[in-house]
Amino acid sequence: VSPELPSPLQMQRRTGRKWRRYGPDVLPAWIADMDFLPAPAIGEAVMEAVATGDFGYGPTTAASGVPEAFARWARRRWGWDVDPAWVQLMPDVVGGLANCVEALTEPGDGVLVQTPIYPPFLATVAAAGRRLVAHPLVDGRIDLQDLDRTLRARPATLLLLCNPHNPTGRCFTVDELQGLLEIAETHGLTVVADEVHADLVYAGHRHIPFASLSPQAARRTVTLNSASKAFNTAGLRTAVWVASDPGLRARLLALPSTRWNAFSTIGVRATLAAWSDEGEEWLHGCVGHLQRMRGLIGERLACAPVKAAWTPPEAGYLAWLDFRGSGLGDDPASWLLDKARVALSPGPEFGAPGQGFARLNFATSQDVLGQILSRIEQALLSDRVEASR
Ligand SMILES: Cc1ncc(COP(=O)(O)O)c(C=O)c1O
């Protein structure tokens, strides 16, 4: 069953920035929120909080039930054995990244990221005063030999891994991850693995938690996850980090407790509903719908009279579109906002390899996605006609 869409009236009443940042004539396909209504189990969980006035300070991590729910989910979804004692609640993954950089590195340390990359990775390293070691992916793949050479020249102590990867949608293979682990061991890297897109993997691919590779991998890894992407609950401010190594856990827990404890009482309820059998059933329908939307983009790009190249994502609802053949300059999203009245995420925000790219969020209805693609095609076509005059 496909996820339900809000009515146009419901959509107008939303306050979220995806729908409010631009005027009503712009179709929003930028920030990673989905248009869909939540899983019924999540709606019921939130209504139960409303019905009981459960708006006070929430449970502690240990009493919340979330560590046990995540452990069950991780085993079931990815075959990863997690001890609930390794799990700590926090408000959000991006805050978790910043906390990990602060707790696990020293000022001036190198932090490795794989570009193009979800912009908060870059901002986090810069804000913490750490040295960015940006290693470009090659068509979404890791060039391990080149990475080894890069780290010899520009050492790092931490890898911020994004798997599945935003914006390329790569779901790294076991061989790639093993190669990365060898490099982490050689160069003494701690790994912070942002796996927030792990539940949005398409047929033919498999999410492999980095920490599940081996006990050696687990010892150097902190995993960040949340129901926020797959279940569209980013505003409910609840996420988790997982570390099996007591030393890593101690360093993270040495930060002021406010860094972790500001998760939401309602978010805990929603997360328990997400990581449940009912949640999984909804997720199944959602991923099926997203896979059809991904197919629609492929069909339209294949027969479009204009040039935009892409590699379909293996996970996630973000299409990384390569407009370098269309003559739109470094920031096609700005051109598309102006000429097509569609809002995509600007490629250059994802680091230097993002120049000439834009990221399209396709978590919407077939109708809206069709309109977005038509507007892009028409704007590119009229530009070509003008240019040939
Ligand atoms: C890779 C990645 N990490 C983190 C986030 C945001 O997660 P949170 O809202 O929990 O900070 C996103 C959202 O798009 C994402 O793509």
Side-chain angles (χ1 to χ4, degrees), residues 32 91-95 97 118 121 162 164 166 194 196-197 226 228-229 234 237-239 317-318 359:
D92 61 329
V93 171
V94 168
L97 286 169
Y118 177 55
F121 278 53
C162 187
N166 174 0
D194 173 343
V196 76
H197 295 274
S226 168
S228 65
K229 287 301 109 186
R237 317 310 296 151
T238 302
Y317 49 77
L318 306 166
R359 194 192 71 176

